[in-house]
Amino acid sequence: MKTKIDTIRHSLAHIMALAVQELFPGSKFGIGPAIESGFYYDFGLKSSLAPSDLPRIEKKMKELIKKNLKFKKKIVSKAEAKKIFKDQSYKLELINELYEARPRSKVSVYQCGHFIDLCKGPHIRSTKEIPINAFKLTKIAGAYWKGDEKNKMLTRIYGIAFENKKELDKYLKLQEEAEKRDHRVLGHKLELFMWDQEIGAGLPLWLPKGAVLRHIIEDYLYEELISNGYQWVVTPHIANLNLWKTSGHWNFYRENMYSPIKIDEEEYMLKPMNCPFHVKIYNSKIRSYRDLPLRYAELGTVYRYEKSGVLHGLTRVRGFTQDDAHIICTPEQLSDELAGNLKHGLEILKTFGFKEFDIYLSTRPEKYAGTIKSWDKATKTLKFVLNKLKLKYKTDEGGGVFYGPKIDIKIKDSLGREWQCTTIQFDFNLPEKFKMAYVDAKGKKREPYMIHRALLGSMERFIGVLLEHYAGALPLWLAPVQVWIIPLGSRHEKYAQQVKKELSSFRVKMKDENETVSKRVREGELQKIPYILVVGDKEIKSQSVRVRSKNKDLGMMKLDKFIEKIKKGIENKK
Amino acid sequence: MKTKIDTIRHSLAHIMALAVQELFPGSKFGIGPAIESGFYYDFGLKSSLAPSDLPRIEKKMKELIKKNLKFKKKIVSKAEAKKIFKDQSYKLELINELYEARPRSKVSVYQCGHFIDLCKGPHIRSTKEIPINAFKLTKIAGAYWKGDEKNKMLTRIYGIAFENKKELDKYLKLQEEAEKRDHRVLGHKLELFMWDQEIGAGLPLWLPKGAVLRHIIEDYLYEELISNGYQWVVTPHIANLNLWKTSGHWNFYRENMYSPIKIDEEEYMLKPMNCPFHVKIYNSKIRSYRDLPLRYAELGTVYRYEKSGVLHGLTRVRGFTQDDAHIICTPEQLSDELAGNLKHGLEILKTFGFKEFDIYLSTRPEKYAGTIKSWDKATKTLKFVLNKLKLKYKTDEGGGVFYGPKIDIKIKDSLGREWQCTTIQFDFNLPEKFKMAYVDAKGKKREPYMIHRALLGSMERFIGVLLEHYAGALPLWLAPVQVWIIPLGSRHEKYAQQVKKELSSFRVKMKDENETVSKRVREGELQKIPYILVVGDKEIKSQSVRVRSKNKDLGMMKLDKFIEKIKKGIENKK
């Protein structure tokens, strides 16, 4: 449903086009829709624009808005439309397409000032409806006509628009905050990961500090899962194409898979998922109902095709490590398994400092594997479990994957943004495809239930989200470097070394470079080091350290008291 | 140099051929050389043989030997030879080849009894020189004529032969012992790893117990390396072909690499090595001499082509995880780095229970990268370090890889067999190819030294060797399951649970199946569980456990004493 602000945004796109027409005569016009938080318009310009041109266009737009220009709608025949847009090649292309689709129908055009556009509307009646202080042009980008890279590149100008200035300012502030938290920038600044052209897009390399962070998280997960009855497995990154044919991936998922690798005249595929491997492990011996539930967990690195244009830092990559698990159980165990999994999963997410979640239940889509009966039963069980755990959720009707219904958990970060991480999915497909079975109490062969679940989603995505959530200032237990020790001068280095030795069970770095103390402290704060210890004469005398944390001076502290403090912090996962 | 036993082995091959000629008239003869520990002969037989035929052939051989048959050498022209072997198509083929190579020279033939063979010799003079109780026919295998799969498949019979019966028995015993320790058999029996036809040959899947074992080793390595100044990194499994062109792998290593994967019209390769990634990490910023040495470590899974015929359990696979490290240092740091690395490496290997090592120094081969000067310097440094550490070594002249000299450490297992695991290699190639540099104390750009090293070699290979070394009975700290608790009857289950809870920091399994105690104990011993605790009335009364370890009853032990005992064992990595 279109709201008033959507209509204003759409009309602002036209006003921007009018301004461009007046400022840059001879411009060609592509399309200009309203989008989330604003609008854009694609222009074919005679010369290129710089961001510094935006204020000029914005100023022109404000002048035009103040004229209280009317939006006039006209219904015209396609022949008439062709006459109106005779100098506008992109519009003519659109009209011709409309002709082909529905030759007899008419089209609508909207005029505002001297700018006329082929447009379905709706629009505001007059520019006086526009809150003049609540919009802003934000950026210029290249955009292929119709999004097709074979076409000409146009100049896209983006704008944002809100109902009032307060909303605009709020949005700008959030943007500014989000930019500061951009994990791509932080990852570079904190030396966590890198990219390399010669290696390839979407393939992160984890630098030492990032690899330590990964290790901490992976280690924590391992301990958590093992002590909760999961069994660890490790599987290869490639498998014969035959496996993917059996599993159905070759049919249903091929566009996300890379091209085959030939080995001895057979074709092998990089794995896009770990599931078939876990199924093979299950199938490696006869299973009894007494063996179930079986919970296989793996940190499995998978490779999936993404267009280079959509790659984005760690949150959209071509290779990533899923914290993947498959739970295989009897029908009787189903709801307990789901409840246990959900509860444990939410606990783990909370440990990482996330407090709010939005839960979505996705039901049967049009194309599906399995029977309606099994879908209904599974969906009912999911609802039952969500209700039992008193978890609020929204239903996404028909939003399930073809192989079963699912629960998705989106975590809210400190800016209130939602990130899809956890997914718990039924699978009616693989147990059938791979003829999975167990022997029940009566000695009868039955098909088990199988649940996929990724809790953090992937190490890459989750670490990206963590960095944005904490703006890089990771809690002590996760910080790759927990403490910096800064001796005031060279005569304090011996004591600093002694402090370092006492802290040897933590991740500590000595900062004894020949730099001013304030420069080293500032550097530590930029590096988001949880604790910066400065030591000088006074500290030596009292066997203390001067503690700085989160840009604040916490004063002198006895060394053993400080050790106790951080030990406790780490134990409590703070 | 041929020794007497080599000659006897060769002559035994002829005697076996003679026996086959007498037992299976009309047989065709391929070749029959002496090999390590024995001999074989390839036969073209009219009907197939079974292992049960071997004693018959062996009996015949002994009869022939007892006749004190003479080996008579004759030099004949090739025309004469063709006449002699007119019914032997394989021999004729060999004679024709000899013709082509050297048309005028003569050939030698050896006759023994009625069997005459085209053969260079030498042979024994008479069969009475053969120790009649010191040989044995061992197996039958198919072998393509000249090893070419386009040719006909012949029947190869293998035999072993020694100087006396004692040597033969020793060898047979070792073989028997080695068979019991075959890691492929143990891996299946102990449920550590599996293979699957549909996934592909040479691609192991780690089952839960195997994955735990891997995790323990990986975790230990991580801690060891981090606390020794290594930095952890994680890199992708694929990279653009351009990277492998720059690194030289595409030129020098292509036959070990899989075929390219196409992504967006670019070609990507599964990585056969981690080196170029670590170089990229080094090159990601400007390095100063103050930053060096840098020691990057990764558990990097690489994929290398191996012919399906040579694949062998975990010790020869197509995908494996190297415990890879690259040390980048200044020339001045070189010998300290090497010494530190070697010393630390040997300590780690000893921790895993290996006590003897054979060390090899491999020097400049014919084709090499870098300058003779740098090779000489590096080789001299390697020798200097080996001498400084008082390590005995053998020199393999010309055995280095093209990019630099190396030290290999072969570990000796409990049967005295050698396994190549550790390698420490110089690299003169990559620093140049990737223009690696650091700024020295005078502000001048210099090229650093780079050392590759894999300590365990790969997780797969090393675990294979560990299993063979320990015959599957891994030491406590490595055992995937450390303790089984067996309650005598159902009324002892509560106490058993209490024991399990007290042992919760160890890897413990409850065995309360409805089976006899002796059956459960035997099963635990077959599963090589380090400690099996049986609990009944007496144990409950005295808060004890009855301890079995390594097939021995260690008697009753107070629970807290037992906990102390295994804690100590784990701490000491026993």
Side-chain angles (χ1 to χ4, degrees):
Chain A
M1 208 190 71
K2 285 258 168 73
T3 58
K4 179 77 193 276
I5 187 67
D6 288 326
T7 308
I8 289 175
R9 284 168 182 156
H10 189 181
S11 298
L12 272 164
H14 282 230
I15 300 295
M16 177 163 70
L18 173 57
V20 166
Q21 181 177 268
E22 297 203 352
L23 290 170
F24 311 104
S27 295
K28 304 282 180 219
F29 298 92
I31 57 161
I35 53 171
E36 202 193 332
S37 312
F39 55 92
Y40 71 78
Y41 212 110
D42 289 343
F43 303 109
L45 300 175
K46 284 180 175 164
S47 56
S48 65
L49 279 187
S52 56
D53 293 313
L54 294 183
R56 209 170 125 217
I57 301 171
E58 205 175 292
K59 196 176 154 213
K60 186 73 179 173
M61 285 171 73
K62 292 197 174 167
E63 285 169 25
L64 293 166
I65 290 167
K66 281 183 192 151
K67 288 184 182 167
N68 294 342
L69 299 173
K70 298 271 177 296
F71 275 84
K72 286 174 238 159
K73 182 179 182 178
K74 240 204 248 177
I75 304 292
V76 298
S77 73
K78 280 164 195 153
E80 281 174 285
K82 275 188 153 186
K83 219 184 275 168
I84 295 170
F85 296 105
K86 65 180 191 301
D87 299 326
Q88 288 293 334
S89 51
Y90 300 113
K91 299 290 175 193
L92 286 174
E93 201 179 322
L94 294 176
I95 295 164
N96 283 334
E97 278 170 20
L98 289 171
Y99 249 124
E100 275 171 36
R102 285 186 296 169
R104 278 150 201 266
S105 70
K106 297 196 161 195
V107 294
S108 64
V109 295
Y110 276 86
Q111 177 147 20
C112 180
H114 295 300
F115 178 70
I116 186 158
D117 205 350
L118 182 74
C119 179
K120 269 199 267 184
H123 279 282
I124 51 177
R125 271 154 302 173
S126 153
T127 55
K128 73 175 165 196
E129 293 174 40
I130 296 172
I132 201 160
N133 291 322
F135 83 94
K136 190 174 164 53
L137 300 189
T138 50
K139 64 175 177 185
I140 300 171
Y144 293 108
W145 167 238
K146 287 180 178 166
D148 184 340
E149 56 192 44
K150 283 182 218 116
N151 290 336
K152 224 182 139 184
M153 171 86 85
L154 303 177
T155 302
R156 177 173 293 179
I157 303 179
Y158 285 95
I160 48 172
F162 295 89
E163 278 153 22
N164 51 54
K165 188 166 185 313
K166 210 175 137 193
E167 287 293 311
L168 173 68
D169 289 346
K170 200 174 119 189
Y171 180 86
L172 287 172
K173 195 151 175 53
L174 193 74
Q175 280 304 104
E176 197 190 338
E177 195 53 41
E179 251 167 59
K180 269 194 261 167
R181 289 165 183 262
D182 187 330
H183 76 275
R184 297 168 303 174
V185 178
L186 286 169
H188 178 70
K189 248 173 41 188
L190 306 182
E191 296 187 34
L192 298 174
F193 49 85
M194 63 171 273
W195 314 89
D196 184 89
Q197 188 62 41
E198 213 175 5
I199 287 168
L203 299 170
L205 280 79
W206 292 83
L207 298 172
K209 285 206 279 175
V212 167
L213 173 58
R214 257 187 88 137
H215 184 85
I216 296 162
I217 297 175
E218 291 179 0
D219 218 41
Y220 165 68
L221 265 187
Y222 180 87
E223 296 299 333
E224 267 298 320
L225 295 180
I226 289 286
S227 62
N228 272 273
Y230 284 78
Q231 303 195 62
W232 215 251
V233 296
V234 180
T235 67
H237 302 95
I238 56 172
N240 199 301
L241 178 56
N242 293 330
L243 182 79
W244 308 106
K245 283 183 177 165
T246 304
S247 70
H249 286 87
W250 188 240
N251 256 338
F252 286 104
Y253 205 68
R254 195 185 311 191
E255 70 274 20
N256 299 87
M257 294 169 75
Y258 291 111
S259 71
I261 302 160
K262 267 215 168 146
I263 307 182
D264 290 348
E265 304 310 308
E266 304 244 347
E267 294 190 309
Y268 283 70
M269 309 297 296
L270 269 173
K271 69 173 167 185
M273 294 194 189
N274 304 299
C275 330
F277 297 88
H278 293 195
V279 171
K280 285 285 182 183
I281 289 174
Y282 178 86
N283 278 356
S284 69
K285 58 191 271 193
I286 293 168
R287 307 290 178 178
S288 144
Y289 70 100
R290 277 184 303 255
D291 301 328
L292 303 184
L294 277 167
R295 308 182 188 110
Y296 295 129
E298 176 171 20
L299 287 166
T301 307
V302 297
Y303 289 86
R304 295 183 188 167
Y305 179 67
E306 297 277 3
K307 283 193 180 162
S308 64
V310 302
L311 296 173
H312 182 91
L314 291 181
T315 51
R316 197 93 176 246
V317 285
R318 283 180 168 165
F320 52 92
T321 303
Q322 289 187 300
D323 64 319
D324 209 357
H326 291 89
I327 298 167
I328 301 156
C329 65
T330 69
E332 298 74 32
Q333 293 165 334
L334 192 57
S335 70
D336 277 355
E337 277 305 301
L338 281 167
N341 194 279
L342 253 169
K343 226 176 122 188
H344 184 228
L346 286 169
E347 267 167 37
I348 290 178
L349 292 176
K350 281 177 190 161
T351 306
F352 284 101
F354 298 107
K355 293 182 188 99
E356 287 180 77
F357 309 97
D358 276 334
I359 300 176
Y360 296 85
L361 169 69
S362 302
T363 61
R364 180 162 48 83
E366 272 179 47
K367 276 177 82 176
Y368 59 92
T371 62
I372 292 201
K373 205 177 141 198
S374 55
W375 274 84
D376 287 349
K377 193 189 161 201
T379 311
K380 224 174 110 185
T381 312
L382 286 177
K383 282 185 189 167
F384 169 78
V385 168
L386 286 166
N387 290 329
K388 194 176 136 195
L389 296 177
K390 299 198 174 83
L391 293 170
K392 275 189 198 157
Y393 65 94
K394 293 168 198 155
T395 306
D396 179 4
E397 293 291 351
V401 260
F402 78 91
Y403 47 74
K406 64 170 180 166
I407 293 174
D408 287 336
I409 304 177
K410 293 187 184 177
I411 56 183
K412 268 194 186 168
D413 73 7
S414 52
L415 294 188
R417 295 172 302 175
E418 278 191 341
W419 302 89
Q420 160 74 53
C421 288
T422 307
T423 184
I424 301 173
Q425 313 183 338
F426 265 89
D427 192 329
F428 298 130
N429 179 48
L430 291 186
E432 193 203 315
K433 288 277 166 78
F434 284 101
K435 299 187 176 51
M436 292 168 76
Y438 69 95
V439 179
D440 73 7
K442 288 172 189 152
K444 225 181 109 189
K445 248 188 168 183
R446 292 178 67 186
E447 195 177 281
Y449 274 86
M450 174 153 136
I451 301 159
H452 309 266
R453 88 99 182 78
L455 175 58
L456 308 184
S458 79
M459 298 310 297
E460 286 74 13
R461 184 176 180 74
F462 191 72
I463 288 176
V465 173
L466 265 183
L467 289 172
E468 303 233 351
H469 179 64
Y470 287 110
L474 294 170
L476 187 62
W477 75 286
L478 290 172
V481 181
Q482 296 169 315
V483 180
W484 269 16
I485 305 171
I486 300 180
L488 275 178
S490 56
R491 72 171 183 281
H492 309 112
E493 277 173 21
K494 203 181 139 196
Y495 177 67
Q497 285 296 351
Q498 184 195 321
V499 170
K500 193 182 170 202
K501 215 176 148 191
E502 301 251 1
L503 293 171
S504 65
S505 61
F506 309 102
R507 297 183 289 275
V508 181
K509 207 176 160 185
M510 174 69 69
K511 295 300 289 180
D512 53 1
E513 292 91 345
N514 195 13
E515 296 278 6
T516 64
V517 173
S518 61
K519 199 173 167 189
R520 281 179 280 166
V521 167
R522 224 190 81 230
E523 170 67 12
E525 286 173 352
L526 288 173
Q527 285 290 314
K528 318 272 184 187
I529 307 300
Y531 290 101
I532 299 170
L533 308 182
V534 180
V535 295
D537 290 333
K538 267 196 282 183
E539 287 75 20
I540 294 176
K541 215 174 160 188
S542 60
Q543 293 291 295
S544 303
V545 288
R546 190 164 193 99
V547 185
R548 276 189 75 86
S549 183
K550 292 179 185 161
N551 308 341
K552 269 182 203 149
D553 187 350
L554 305 185
M556 285 228 304
M557 206 178 279
K558 288 269 178 204
L559 183 55
D560 49 5
K561 219 182 125 193
F562 173 72
I563 291 175
E564 210 177 287
K565 178 186 168 71
I566 62 172
K567 238 185 207 162
K568 216 168 143 188
I570 291 167
E571 263 170 37
N572 297 332
K573 302 259 187 295
K574 294 291 176 196
Chain B
M1 211 190 68
K2 285 256 168 74
T3 59
K4 178 74 192 280
I5 188 67
D6 289 325
T7 308
I8 290 174
R9 283 168 183 156
H10 189 180
S11 297
L12 271 164
H14 282 232
I15 300 296
M16 177 163 69
L18 173 58
V20 165
Q21 182 177 270
E22 297 204 352
L23 290 170
F24 311 103
S27 296
K28 305 281 180 218
F29 299 91
I31 57 161
I35 54 172
E36 204 192 331
S37 313
F39 56 91
Y40 70 77
Y41 212 111
D42 289 343
F43 302 108
L45 301 175
K46 285 180 175 165
S47 56
S48 65
L49 280 187
S52 57
D53 293 312
L54 294 183
R56 209 170 124 216
I57 302 171
E58 206 175 292
K59 196 176 154 216
K60 186 74 178 171
M61 286 171 73
K62 290 195 176 170
E63 284 168 24
L64 294 165
I65 290 168
K66 280 183 193 153
K67 288 184 183 169
N68 293 341
L69 300 173
K70 299 269 177 299
F71 275 83
K72 286 174 239 159
K73 183 178 181 179
K74 241 202 247 176
I75 304 293
V76 298
S77 72
K78 279 165 196 151
E80 282 173 284
K82 275 188 153 183
K83 218 183 276 170
I84 295 169
F85 296 105
K86 64 181 192 299
D87 299 327
Q88 289 293 335
S89 51
Y90 301 112
K91 298 291 175 191
L92 286 174
E93 202 180 322
L94 295 176
I95 294 165
N96 284 334
E97 277 169 20
L98 289 171
Y99 250 125
E100 275 171 37
R102 287 186 296 168
R104 277 149 204 267
S105 69
K106 296 197 162 193
V107 294
S108 64
V109 297
Y110 276 86
Q111 177 148 18
C112 182
H114 294 301
F115 177 69
I116 185 158
D117 204 352
L118 182 76
C119 178
K120 269 197 270 184
H123 279 282
I124 50 178
R125 271 156 303 170
S126 154
T127 55
K128 74 175 165 196
E129 291 174 42
I130 297 173
I132 201 159
N133 292 321
F135 81 93
K136 192 177 162 51
L137 301 190
T138 50
K139 63 176 177 183
I140 301 171
Y144 293 108
W145 168 238
K146 286 177 178 167
D148 185 340
E149 57 191 41
K150 282 181 219 118
N151 289 336
K152 223 183 141 186
M153 171 86 86
L154 302 177
T155 301
R156 177 174 294 178
I157 302 179
Y158 285 96
I160 49 172
F162 295 89
E163 277 154 23
N164 51 55
K165 189 167 185 308
K166 211 176 135 191
E167 287 293 310
L168 172 69
D169 290 345
K170 201 174 118 189
Y171 179 86
L172 287 172
K173 197 156 172 52
L174 193 76
Q175 281 304 103
E176 197 192 339
E177 195 52 41
E179 252 168 56
K180 270 194 261 168
R181 288 163 184 263
D182 187 330
H183 75 275
R184 297 168 303 174
V185 178
L186 286 169
H188 178 71
K189 246 171 44 184
L190 306 182
E191 297 187 32
L192 299 174
F193 50 85
M194 62 172 273
W195 313 90
D196 185 89
Q197 188 62 39
E198 213 176 6
I199 286 167
L203 299 170
L205 280 80
W206 293 83
L207 298 171
K209 285 204 280 172
V212 167
L213 173 57
R214 256 187 89 136
H215 184 85
I216 295 162
I217 297 175
E218 290 180 0
D219 218 41
Y220 164 68
L221 265 187
Y222 180 87
E223 297 300 333
E224 267 299 320
L225 295 179
I226 289 286
S227 63
N228 271 273
Y230 284 78
Q231 304 195 62
W232 215 251
V233 298
V234 180
T235 67
H237 302 95
I238 56 172
N240 199 301
L241 177 56
N242 293 329
L243 182 79
W244 308 105
K245 283 183 178 165
T246 304
S247 70
H249 286 87
W250 188 239
N251 257 337
F252 286 104
Y253 206 69
R254 195 186 307 190
E255 70 274 20
N256 300 88
M257 293 170 75
Y258 292 111
S259 71
I261 302 161
K262 267 216 168 149
I263 308 182
D264 290 348
E265 305 308 310
E266 304 243 347
E267 294 189 307
Y268 283 70
M269 309 298 296
L270 270 174
K271 69 172 166 185
M273 294 194 190
N274 304 299
C275 330
F277 296 88
H278 293 196
V279 171
K280 285 286 182 181
I281 288 174
Y282 178 87
N283 278 354
S284 70
K285 59 191 273 195
I286 293 168
R287 307 290 177 175
S288 144
Y289 70 100
R290 279 184 301 255
D291 301 328
L292 302 186
L294 278 167
R295 307 182 188 110
Y296 295 129
E298 174 171 21
L299 286 167
T301 307
V302 298
Y303 289 86
R304 294 182 190 169
Y305 178 67
E306 298 276 4
K307 283 192 180 161
S308 63
V310 302
L311 296 173
H312 183 90
L314 292 180
T315 51
R316 196 93 176 246
V317 285
R318 282 180 170 166
F320 52 93
T321 302
Q322 289 187 299
D323 65 318
D324 209 356
H326 290 90
I327 297 167
I328 302 156
C329 65
T330 69
E332 298 74 32
Q333 293 166 334
L334 192 57
S335 69
D336 277 356
E337 277 306 301
L338 281 168
N341 194 278
L342 253 169
K343 227 176 120 187
H344 184 227
L346 286 170
E347 268 167 36
I348 290 178
L349 292 176
K350 281 177 189 161
T351 305
F352 284 101
F354 298 106
K355 292 182 188 100
E356 287 180 76
F357 310 97
D358 275 333
I359 301 176
Y360 296 85
L361 169 69
S362 303
T363 61
R364 180 163 47 82
E366 272 180 46
K367 277 177 81 178
Y368 59 92
T371 62
I372 293 203
K373 204 179 140 196
S374 54
W375 273 84
D376 287 349
K377 194 190 161 201
T379 310
K380 224 174 111 187
T381 312
L382 287 177
K383 284 184 187 169
F384 170 78
V385 167
L386 286 166
N387 291 328
K388 195 177 136 193
L389 296 177
K390 299 200 176 83
L391 293 169
K392 275 189 198 154
Y393 65 93
K394 292 168 197 152
T395 305
D396 180 5
E397 291 292 350
V401 260
F402 78 91
Y403 46 75
K406 63 170 181 167
I407 293 174
D408 287 337
I409 303 177
K410 292 187 184 176
I411 56 183
K412 268 195 188 168
D413 73 6
S414 51
L415 294 188
R417 295 172 301 174
E418 278 192 340
W419 303 89
Q420 160 74 54
C421 289
T422 307
T423 185
I424 301 174
Q425 314 184 335
F426 265 88
D427 192 330
F428 298 130
N429 179 49
L430 292 185
E432 193 203 316
K433 289 277 166 76
F434 284 101
K435 298 186 176 55
M436 292 169 75
Y438 69 95
V439 179
D440 73 8
K442 287 172 188 152
K444 224 182 110 189
K445 247 188 169 181
R446 291 178 67 187
E447 194 177 282
Y449 274 86
M450 174 154 137
I451 301 160
H452 309 266
R453 88 98 182 80
L455 176 57
L456 308 185
S458 78
M459 298 310 296
E460 287 73 13
R461 184 174 181 73
F462 191 72
I463 288 175
V465 175
L466 265 183
L467 289 171
E468 304 232 352
H469 179 63
Y470 287 111
L474 294 170
L476 187 64
W477 74 286
L478 291 171
V481 181
Q482 297 168 315
V483 181
W484 269 17
I485 305 171
I486 299 180
L488 276 178
S490 57
R491 73 172 183 280
H492 310 112
E493 277 173 20
K494 202 179 141 198
Y495 177 66
Q497 284 296 350
Q498 185 195 320
V499 171
K500 193 181 172 204
K501 214 175 150 192
E502 301 251 4
L503 293 171
S504 65
S505 63
F506 309 101
R507 298 183 290 275
V508 181
K509 208 175 159 184
M510 175 69 70
K511 295 301 287 180
D512 53 2
E513 292 92 345
N514 195 12
E515 296 278 6
T516 64
V517 173
S518 62
K519 200 172 166 189
R520 281 179 280 166
V521 167
R522 224 190 82 230
E523 170 67 11
E525 286 173 351
L526 288 174
Q527 286 290 313
K528 319 272 183 184
I529 306 302
Y531 290 100
I532 299 170
L533 308 181
V534 180
V535 296
D537 291 333
K538 268 195 282 183
E539 287 75 21
I540 294 176
K541 214 173 163 189
S542 60
Q543 294 290 295
S544 304
V545 286
R546 188 163 194 97
V547 185
R548 275 190 77 84
S549 183
K550 294 179 185 161
N551 307 342
K552 271 182 201 149
D553 187 350
L554 304 186
M556 286 229 302
M557 206 179 280
K558 289 268 177 205
L559 183 55
D560 48 5
K561 220 183 124 193
F562 174 72
I563 291 175
E564 210 177 286
K565 178 186 167 71
I566 61 172
K567 237 185 208 162
K568 217 168 143 189
I570 292 167
E571 264 170 37
N572 295 332
K573 303 257 188 297
K574 293 292 177 191

